Amino acid sequence: DSQGHSALGQFQTLPLEIFHMVLGYLSVKDISLLSLVSKSLSHQLGHYISSAAGTRRLLPQHFHSPEPPGSSEAAPIVQHYRSLGLLLKRCTLLLPTRDRLKYVHKVLSEVSCFKLNGCASPLHCMGLRCYGVFLQILTAGWDELECHRVFNFLWELSSLPRKVQTVVSSRAGSARKLELRIRLFCRRVLLTHWIHRSDSAFWLTRILKPWPIVNQARLLYIIFGPVSPLDGYVVWQKMIERPTDETSLKGLAEAIKLLYGTEAREWTADDVISLVDELSVVPQEWLMENNARLLLLSGNNICFTFLASKAVNGRAVELARLIVFMALVCEKDLYCMDWAVKMMQKVCRVFSTSWERDNFLQCLENAFAHMLMDLMQSVLAGGHYEEDSSLLNLFHLVNAQANFHKEILYMAIRSSSST
């Protein structure tokens, strides 16, 4: 009768060693369910997790096993750490957040690949990905204050404030190994695994907000900017030297959309526009074509808000050049040219007087003309490679101008036909 009323039930009769042997036959998911039976049983499971047998069983560290491309999230070891996250979530259910974090850190502290500098080959290691999945399951459903504590705990534990300060204040690329490790830790542990955009926005905000906007832009580029396919290091000159492709800008564009969305409550439209503006000079001023391509990838709302801010601030010449480069990107990347024309039309409505609007349209035509003349001179004066590149750009720009004005004519004819 006393056993029947015990919090451990029939397990009360078993020696601890036998109890641990029984647990060895259960899956991690089954052990996590067992932890919900009673406080005493959960306490016993905590001892098992911290034991040598439990550590060997629950903390496998074969993170460098080759996996087929694209299967990393479904890899058995990733699924294992997802289940382990649920187990520790349930075992620590009654503890305060601070104590839960200390206990989890104590359990995971021996896993070197979970640390920022713990793995000798971080690019080919699944450790940080497993840690990120574990963290996502552990903190799912926690309120914002608790998640703040989790971030602060991880941030200080990894000495990230000091390390981030080093990379954002140093010459771009001078600490490239540290840049790579910060990028991998932020992406794989803090950002990648969230299901809801609001969670992703929360963690990205925690990473960026402590820093001045200049450092925010540098850090955003480190985390989401283009990297070398050979060694994974951040490529700092890609936006400066020549036009780049969509792949190199996609990560930055997605991050900007995330911060601009309604999920990121701590960011205003002005904050995001200032960040985009600052990003365009990291580490030096970007080619205008790369600015235009980033804006297109960032979506209509961000693109219009960015252009409208230039219109309001009287930067008509810069605005006109940006519209021309947007038309060029539409031509090169096979977007519909009427998008660029409609965007121009929306921007025209921002101007408060007809003189400002007419001046902008004159600047737009001048920008087309000046760019054509510059490319013509480059074709005539350049070497063999430069001539081929400039000639191709000239071809695209001529077609872009023709298609841009064709859409304006279509719009004018449709408007006159309807009146």
Side-chain angles (χ1 to χ4, degrees):
D1 289 340
S2 61
Q3 290 177 358
H5 292 290
S6 166
L8 294 177
Q10 298 298 325
F11 291 114
Q12 183 73 33
T13 61
L14 295 178
L16 188 61
E17 295 82 0
I18 303 299
F19 178 55
H20 287 184
M21 289 176 64
V22 171
L23 293 177
Y25 288 93
L26 297 180
S27 70
V28 179
K29 286 185 178 180
D30 288 338
I31 297 174
S32 72
L33 287 172
L34 194 61
S35 70
L36 297 174
V37 171
S38 70
K39 183 177 179 181
S40 298
L41 196 49
S42 178
H43 187 66
Q44 289 281 17
L45 290 174
H47 284 302
Y48 169 70
I49 293 168
S50 302
S51 70
T55 298
R56 286 194 302 272
R57 164 88 190 284
L58 297 174
L59 296 176
Q61 299 187 39
H62 45 280
F63 299 119
H64 298 84
S65 300
E67 293 289 338
S71 67
S72 58
E73 292 303 319
I77 193 166
V78 175
Q79 296 304 316
H80 172 86
Y81 277 96
R82 181 175 279 114
S83 299
L84 183 64
L86 186 60
L87 170 58
L88 292 190
K89 184 188 189 80
R90 288 171 171 173
C91 280
T92 60
L93 196 60
L94 301 178
L95 296 177
T97 301
R98 190 179 302 276
D99 294 338
R100 295 178 89 173
L101 294 174
K102 288 180 179 178
Y103 175 77
V104 168
H105 171 60
K106 181 181 177 182
V107 171
L108 301 182
S109 60
E110 298 304 315
V111 184
S112 61
C113 289
F114 285 0
K115 300 172 183 177
L116 184 74
N117 293 312
C119 181
S121 182
L123 271 180
H124 306 100
C125 178
M126 296 181 66
L128 293 180
R129 186 172 282 110
C130 290
Y131 192 20
V133 166
F134 172 91
L135 182 68
Q136 187 263 324
I137 294 297
L138 178 73
T139 60
W142 290 17
D143 65 33
E144 194 168 292
L145 180 59
E146 290 175 313
C147 290
H148 269 280
R149 288 173 179 159
V150 173
F151 176 81
N152 291 336
F153 184 81
L154 291 173
W155 203 241
E156 296 300 329
L157 185 67
S158 304
S159 302
L160 272 168
R162 176 174 54 82
K163 292 169 181 174
V164 169
Q165 180 65 53
T166 298
V167 297
V168 297
S169 58
S170 304
R171 182 173 55 83
S174 61
R176 59 180 191 165
K177 290 184 179 179
L178 184 56
E179 290 170 358
L180 172 61
R181 289 187 180 274
I182 289 173
R183 176 189 177 96
L184 293 178
F185 189 88
C186 289
R187 288 174 72 109
R188 294 180 178 179
V189 177
L190 301 177
L191 296 173
T192 301
H193 306 285
W194 304 107
I195 298 171
H196 303 294
R197 289 178 61 83
S198 57
D199 292 323
S200 300
F202 170 84
W203 290 94
L204 183 55
T205 299
R206 301 280 69 75
I207 293 169
L208 296 179
K209 273 296 184 179
W211 307 98
I213 190 166
V214 175
N215 294 345
Q216 287 178 8
R218 177 75 72 95
L219 189 52
L220 197 69
Y221 194 97
I222 289 172
I223 298 173
F224 294 105
V227 295
S228 166
L230 299 177
D231 53 27
Y233 293 138
V234 177
V235 182
W236 289 99
Q237 301 302 313
K238 192 150 191 175
M239 306 302 173
I240 302 165
E241 294 177 343
R242 60 181 60 244
T244 189
D245 55 11
E246 289 187 3
T247 305
S248 299
L249 290 163
K250 188 174 180 181
L252 290 169
E254 290 300 320
I256 291 166
K257 283 195 284 188
L258 188 66
L259 297 177
Y260 191 82
T262 55
E263 301 88 355
R265 301 189 305 274
E266 298 174 54
W267 297 82
T268 66
D270 286 343
D271 289 337
V272 180
I273 295 307
S274 297
L275 182 59
V276 174
D277 220 5
E278 195 64 48
L279 186 64
S280 67
V281 293
V282 172
Q284 298 168 25
E285 189 172 355
W286 290 12
L287 295 182
M288 189 71 83
E289 182 177 329
N290 292 333
N291 284 336
R293 188 169 277 108
L294 177 63
L295 287 174
L296 261 72
L297 293 173
S298 298
N300 288 354
N301 292 336
I302 295 172
C303 186
F304 172 71
T305 305
F306 187 84
L307 297 175
S309 70
K310 295 195 179 298
V312 169
N313 292 319
R315 296 160 71 176
V317 174
E318 185 180 346
L319 174 61
R321 291 191 73 238
L322 200 46
I323 293 284
V324 170
F325 275 105
M326 285 184 174
L328 179 60
V329 171
C330 286
E331 179 66 27
K332 283 186 173 183
D333 296 354
L334 304 180
Y335 291 109
C336 293
M337 190 61 74
D338 69 335
W339 178 90
V341 173
K342 288 176 181 176
M343 187 61 67
M344 178 204 68
Q345 193 176 33
K346 285 181 68 176
V347 170
C348 283
R349 299 192 189 105
V350 173
F351 293 106
S352 55
T353 66
S354 58
W355 181 89
E356 289 176 320
R357 184 189 65 239
D358 293 346
N359 178 62
F360 161 67
L361 294 175
Q362 182 63 59
C363 289
L364 186 66
E365 294 305 317
N366 290 342
F368 267 118
H370 291 158
M371 283 179 60
L372 286 168
M373 292 301 296
D374 289 344
L375 282 174
M376 283 289 293
Q377 290 179 356
S378 180
V379 169
L380 295 174
H384 178 68
Y385 174 77
E386 290 79 2
E387 182 179 348
D388 289 346
S389 175
S390 298
L391 190 60
L392 184 60
N393 278 332
L394 180 60
F395 169 79
H396 284 306
L397 184 59
V398 169
N399 279 322
Q401 185 182 37
N403 289 324
F404 186 83
H405 287 97
K406 178 188 71 177
E407 293 296 334
I408 293 176
L409 289 174
Y410 284 165
M411 188 181 297
I413 291 172
R414 284 194 293 268
S415 177
S416 62
S417 298
S418 60
T419 56

